[in-house]
Amino acid sequence: MDDFQWLIAREIPYLRRFARALTGNTDAADDLVQDTLERALHKRHLWRPRGSLRAWLYRVLYNVHLNAARGRLLDRLSVIDSEAGEKTATPATQDRHVEMLDVVAALEHLPRGQRDAILVVGVEGLSYDQAAWVLGIRLGTLRSRLCRGREALWRLREGAAPRANLRRVK
Amino acid sequence: MTDHRDEITEFDLVAYADGALDPDRSKAVEAYLAAHPDIAARVNDYARQNAELRERFDPIVSEPIPDRLHAPFGRPAGPGMTAVARAVAIAVIVLATGVAGWMVGRSSDTNRYAVEAFVRSASAAHEDPAIASPAVVSSVPPLHWLSESIGLELRTPDLGELGFQLVEKRLVHLENDRGVQLLYKSGGGESLSIFVKRRWRERKPDYEVQESEGLMVAYWLDGPLAYAITGNLSPERLRSLAQSVNGSMALEPRVKEPRLQPRRKPQAASDERPGEPSVGGSEAGPPAAGSKTTGKM
């Protein structure tokens, strides 16, 4: 019997949750988890026992997810998402007000980077350091995305609100 | 000393809502929010975003795991499968004593030789069902046959509380003798086998845990029965499993057979939840977990 496999198998429920949050769809999520497990077993020689196995698996999952997303985008000959090219969150209109109150629906209107940052922290509860590592970004970038993302969500959920007079981070 | 309240940033607010701010900084933020209720309302929404996300997605952790997610670990058995390709499993071996007597154990004797031989044969049987394949086509239900031959009424253990449901009972060959295999499955897809065959002697339960051929083994004697559990588990978990199994196997005048559960649908209600993993003792790292940010970047 294999320790490593047993430890990985215990993480499956958490990986399913993360995958569901990322993809929004049970079948796609389980596809993602299956690919992740195969990849993780394949890459086990890269695993070092001193850290969190769960964080390592999340990172594998997120990379598999990104690669799949890029593949789909390239297939469609679309521009790959980037911080610069993203659309900004629009203020809620009367019609969309109810929808925007649902955090998951509102997240759909955020750029991928901000959305994924919020999911990793909000759904999986990872620390900032772990979250940044899983997403493959710097800690500062993570915090920026969280700030912008959460504020955008707030605006969507509350409707157009007067901008608070607050010192900005440089 | 600078007034920290002048330095509260957006980063601080978000980190505060995420619970990622160290206690000193948190106090500063709280003071700031107390003075600015409109901003407090916004920060409240940030925290609620997290709460709603958890409410929406946490139930997924309790869902039964689809079969196909066990595929990457390899399917249980055919002969010749290597240990690495095994599915997640726990092997439970139970030695039952018989009237015709095998070995008379002395008071302190845990029958190490016998147990090790049995562990080897039962591990082999668990890992290679060809060895443990039904030896006898019999019209007598397997457990009843065993109860007859040893003159004791054995109860099929109910491991529902441990999350395992009985899915199959069959007569098997074990170590030049016939025995009974009880196969259990958990909602999470783990499998567990109890092998029962005749042996001899009685003792009070004295659980001993040690390592044997790469597996942790817990064994003890209880009345006319000797038990061994092997598994890739910590000694503590093995020990508590041993106690549960021992309790479940309590001899009673009545033979009580739980219903067989259909294989296809593991019951969500009896899912054995892995609980929070204790890998490395905490959620630490690769970066250290719980490392609070200290405010400004």
Side-chain angles (χ1 to χ4, degrees), chain A residues 1 3 5-6 10 16-17 20 31 34 52 54 102 122 128-130 133 147 150 154 157 166-167, chain B residues 6 10-11 15 18 32 45 49-50 52 56 58 63 68 84 88-89 232 277 283-286 291:
Chain A
M1 181 174 331
D3 264 347
Q5 292 187 343
W6 189 69
R10 277 154 55 110
R16 292 188 75 229
R17 178 179 61 186
R20 188 88 62 91
D31 280 344
Q34 190 170 352
S52 160
R54 187 185 293 184
D102 171 23
Y128 281 4
D129 285 333
Q130 286 181 321
W133 186 75
C147 279
R150 291 208 184 277
W154 169 68
R157 283 146 65 80
L166 189 68
R167 287 175 204 282
Chain B
D6 287 343
E10 282 293 325
F11 277 4
D18 286 333
Y32 179 85
D45 184 68
Q49 291 167 15
N50 284 341
E52 287 178 31
R56 172 70 85 91
D58 276 357
E63 287 177 6
R68 62 152 152 160
V84 170
V88 174
N232 202 5
E283 273 301 289
S291 55

Side-chain angles (χ1 to χ4, degrees), chain B residues 151-204:
Chain B
L152 291 167
E153 301 263 24
L154 287 179
R155 187 173 73 161
T156 310
D158 183 356
L159 303 183
E161 265 192 306
L162 302 174
F164 288 92
Q165 305 294 331
L166 181 68
V167 298
E168 191 173 347
K169 294 184 286 191
R170 52 188 178 176
L171 278 174
V172 295
H173 262 319
L174 281 175
E175 230 193 341
N176 303 321
D177 194 6
R178 288 191 296 176
V180 175
Q181 179 182 15
L182 305 173
L183 181 65
Y184 294 76
K185 286 244 159 103
S186 76
E190 295 170 304
S191 70
L192 177 155
S193 288
I194 299 184
F195 294 92
V196 190
K197 75 184 185 98
R198 291 172 301 186
R199 267 211 27 96
W200 184 250
R201 217 20 242 159
E202 46 187 288
R203 236 16 253 158
K204 298 204 97 179

